[in-house]
Amino acid sequence: MGRQRYTPEQIIAKLREVDVIVGRGGTAVEACRQIGIAEQTLYRWRKEYGGLKVDQARRMKDLERENARLKKLVADLALDKAILQEASKPDFLSPSRRREAIEQVRRALPVSERRTCRVLGQHRSTQRHPPKDDADEQRLTADIVALARDYGRYGYRRIHALLGHAGWQVSLSVVERIWRREGLKVPKRQPKRRRLWLGDGSCIRLRPQHRGHVWSYDFVEDQTYNGRKYRMLNIIDEFSRECLAMVPLRRFRSHDVIDVLADLFIEHGPPEHIRSDNGPEFVANAVREWLGRLGVTTLYIEPGSPWENGYIESFNARLRDELLNGEIFYSLEEVRIVTGWWRAHYNRARPHSSLGYRPPAPETIEMPAWPLGSAALRPPPRLASEVRIN
């Protein structure tokens, strides 16, 4: 049987009944037995309700409930104030946004500016003297946003380089500040990989010293809209970072690789070395013997160590990130045309971080007309003329 709970009115009535029994000569134990409570309960009730009448007990309970409600209200207000003070720290709100918040609070509540500034952590001089609008910075912000929209995978460093090419003379810190203020997203960095060993063909063991010293080539695989796969042979000059060829085919054999290399050797001359992985098209006897007869040394990286061929792997990553992941191709001919446009943009216009944010070969390739409707290859917007910001 569960314990019975009594209201204050019932408790006071039972205490009066105990007083009557004791007044007739009975003991407290007998009185407790008659009303059905323990002796300890009787003493506890007397300590809490002794001498009170029913209306007084009811009033006391009302006061206790009101006191509990006020305590909870004060605790909530203190917590709300702590939340406001924490949210108004410089890490969360800039002075301009805090200024807008203070004005909004004053419009909604009849509070003074002094108190609102104190609660939100804004100095009154900062609140009363907003910064003057800078027309140059507004135009610079518009140009940064336009470039970020057209080159969605570029960080603020490449955007800074493009602004310099467009005539802006502005420091990198200013571009970074505007970049973060506008909430633009910086592309994620790839995780670093441990270098287990370095083979003789590694790009660490043999670094390119001049144009035509070391070429590297590799395949990138993708598929058209109908699900058919194709492979793209990419060849770059490691010293200049120039992309020499991007050739897509449904299937590559050793003689196809020789045909592509022969065209490049006629145009640029054979390199001293050519670096690759151990793919069957590259280690084929026909390819190795043909390159050997032309005096080109083949450099093969260790199996399972793509970081030893870092130049071409980095190029493939940029190609996939900036073009292939954002385009749908319906035919192999469309792949050839669009990748040709992207290669021209990469060589002539795209800032390269390892070259001081300059294009690999701006003087060698004539930019073709831009394709309509290509999200990854829209022409850059018309930017402001030469402006200097201190």
Side-chain angles (χ1 to χ4, degrees), residues 227-279:
R228 294 187 61 189
K229 293 184 179 180
Y230 66 88
R231 304 181 73 193
M232 186 182 306
L233 177 62
N234 299 326
I235 306 176
I236 66 170
D237 186 298
E238 292 188 356
F239 181 80
S240 65
R241 308 301 201 278
E242 179 184 359
C243 177
L244 303 175
M246 296 172 62
V247 181
L249 289 177
R250 295 292 183 185
R251 177 184 298 178
F252 267 95
R253 300 183 184 276
S254 58
H255 63 82
D256 297 320
V257 176
I258 292 176
D259 291 341
V260 175
L261 291 177
D263 293 338
L264 292 179
F265 290 177
I266 294 173
E267 182 179 357
H268 301 279
E272 299 179 22
H273 308 273
I274 187 165
R275 196 190 323 270
S276 69
D277 56 20
N278 296 272

Side-chain angles (χ1 to χ4, degrees), residues 162-367:
L162 290 176
L163 290 171
H165 298 165
W168 283 96
Q169 297 183 13
V170 58
S171 65
L172 180 63
S173 60
V174 173
V175 177
E176 181 182 7
R177 173 175 58 81
I178 297 175
W179 179 275
R180 298 189 184 280
R181 184 190 66 194
E182 297 299 320
L184 301 175
K185 185 178 179 181
V186 179
K188 294 182 179 180
R189 294 182 179 271
Q190 294 185 353
K192 295 183 179 180
R193 301 178 182 270
R194 292 186 298 173
R195 185 175 293 110
L196 302 180
W197 64 82
L198 297 175
D200 293 337
S202 169
C203 60
I204 305 299
R205 290 284 179 86
L206 179 61
R207 292 184 178 274
Q209 302 298 324
H210 53 80
R211 186 187 293 268
H213 183 208
V214 182
W215 289 5
S216 60
Y217 56 167
D218 196 8
F219 287 105
V220 171
E221 186 173 298
D222 201 4
Q223 62 182 11
T224 51
Y225 182 74
N226 56 9
R228 294 187 61 189
K229 293 184 179 180
Y230 66 88
R231 304 181 73 193
M232 186 182 306
L233 177 62
N234 299 326
I235 306 176
I236 66 170
D237 186 298
E238 292 188 356
F239 181 80
S240 65
R241 308 301 201 278
E242 179 184 359
C243 177
L244 303 175
M246 296 172 62
V247 181
L249 289 177
R250 295 292 183 185
R251 177 184 298 178
F252 267 95
R253 300 183 184 276
S254 58
H255 63 82
D256 297 320
V257 176
I258 292 176
D259 291 341
V260 175
L261 291 177
D263 293 338
L264 292 179
F265 290 177
I266 294 173
E267 182 179 357
H268 301 279
E272 299 179 22
H273 308 273
I274 187 165
R275 196 190 323 270
S276 69
D277 56 20
N278 296 272
E281 299 86 358
F282 303 140
V283 300
N285 291 331
V287 175
R288 302 177 69 171
E289 293 174 359
W290 183 78
L291 291 173
R293 289 195 298 269
L294 295 177
V296 180
T297 304
T298 55
L299 303 175
Y300 296 107
I301 65 174
E302 291 290 339
S305 304
W307 53 86
E308 294 188 3
N309 199 9
Y311 294 97
I312 191 65
E313 293 293 343
S314 176
F315 174 83
N316 292 342
R318 300 285 76 75
L319 169 64
R320 188 171 295 279
D321 184 45
E322 297 176 10
L323 179 65
L324 299 183
N325 289 346
E327 294 287 339
I328 298 177
F329 300 108
Y330 292 90
S331 65
L332 196 62
E333 184 63 26
E334 184 181 4
V335 176
R336 293 192 183 96
I337 295 174
V338 176
T339 54
W341 279 318
W342 188 87
R343 173 173 167 261
H345 168 74
Y346 178 89
N347 285 336
R348 182 174 179 182
R350 181 186 182 276
H352 203 293
S353 58
S354 63
L355 302 177
Y357 290 96
R358 296 180 179 179
E363 75 285 354
T364 58
I365 296 181
E366 182 179 356
M367 287 290 289

Side-chain angles (χ1 to χ4, degrees), residues 94-112:
S94 62
S96 59
R97 293 184 178 180
R98 195 180 293 111
R99 185 181 299 108
E100 295 176 1
I102 291 173
E103 293 175 356
Q104 177 66 24
V105 169
R106 294 195 63 200
R107 285 194 296 266
L109 300 175
V111 293
S112 64

Side-chain angles (χ1 to χ4, degrees), residues 3-236:
R3 295 178 58 185
Q4 183 178 359
R5 294 184 177 274
Y6 297 95
T7 64
E9 294 82 358
Q10 293 174 339
I11 293 174
I12 292 176
K14 287 185 177 294
L15 288 177
R16 300 296 296 273
E17 186 177 351
V18 170
D19 292 339
V20 172
I21 295 174
V22 173
R24 291 179 179 178
T27 62
V29 176
E30 294 175 351
C32 292
R33 188 180 301 112
Q34 289 185 19
I35 64 176
I37 63 173
E39 189 176 358
Q40 294 84 354
T41 304
L42 174 63
Y43 294 129
R44 179 166 53 82
W45 283 359
R46 280 181 174 177
K47 182 179 179 180
E48 187 174 357
Y49 297 99
L52 294 179
K53 295 182 179 180
V54 175
D55 57 343
Q56 293 175 336
R58 188 180 297 112
R59 177 60 179 167
M60 185 182 68
K61 285 298 180 182
D62 293 340
L63 291 176
E64 289 179 354
R65 285 194 294 268
E66 181 68 15
N67 188 32
R69 188 183 69 84
L70 292 176
K71 285 183 177 180
K72 185 177 182 300
L73 182 61
V74 171
D76 291 342
L77 290 175
L79 180 60
D80 292 345
K81 181 179 178 181
I83 293 173
L84 288 175
Q85 291 176 345
E86 184 68 21
S88 62
K89 288 183 177 180
D91 295 340
F92 294 93
L93 288 180
S94 62
S96 59
R97 293 184 178 180
R98 195 180 293 111
R99 185 181 299 108
E100 295 176 1
I102 291 173
E103 293 175 356
Q104 177 66 24
V105 169
R106 294 195 63 200
R107 285 194 296 266
L109 300 175
V111 293
S112 64
E113 181 185 80
R114 183 189 302 273
R115 182 172 184 178
T116 310
C117 290
R118 184 176 65 251
V119 172
L120 295 181
Q122 176 89 308
H123 200 277
R124 292 185 66 195
S125 61
T126 305
Q127 179 68 21
R128 292 190 173 188
H129 302 285
K132 298 180 180 179
D133 293 335
D134 192 341
D136 291 341
E137 182 163 334
Q138 292 180 0
R139 289 193 294 149
L140 176 62
T141 302
D143 288 351
I144 291 175
V145 173
L147 288 172
R149 185 184 302 113
D150 286 337
Y151 304 103
R153 298 299 300 174
Y154 285 8
Y156 66 89
R157 291 182 175 86
R158 278 201 174 87
I159 297 298
H160 174 259
L162 290 176
L163 290 171
H165 298 165
W168 283 96
Q169 297 183 13
V170 58
S171 65
L172 180 63
S173 60
V174 173
V175 177
E176 181 182 7
R177 173 175 58 81
I178 297 175
W179 179 275
R180 298 189 184 280
R181 184 190 66 194
E182 297 299 320
L184 301 175
K185 185 178 179 181
V186 179
K188 294 182 179 180
R189 294 182 179 271
Q190 294 185 353
K192 295 183 179 180
R193 301 178 182 270
R194 292 186 298 173
R195 185 175 293 110
L196 302 180
W197 64 82
L198 297 175
D200 293 337
S202 169
C203 60
I204 305 299
R205 290 284 179 86
L206 179 61
R207 292 184 178 274
Q209 302 298 324
H210 53 80
R211 186 187 293 268
H213 183 208
V214 182
W215 289 5
S216 60
Y217 56 167
D218 196 8
F219 287 105
V220 171
E221 186 173 298
D222 201 4
Q223 62 182 11
T224 51
Y225 182 74
N226 56 9
R228 294 187 61 189
K229 293 184 179 180
Y230 66 88
R231 304 181 73 193
M232 186 182 306
L233 177 62
N234 299 326
I235 306 176
I236 66 170

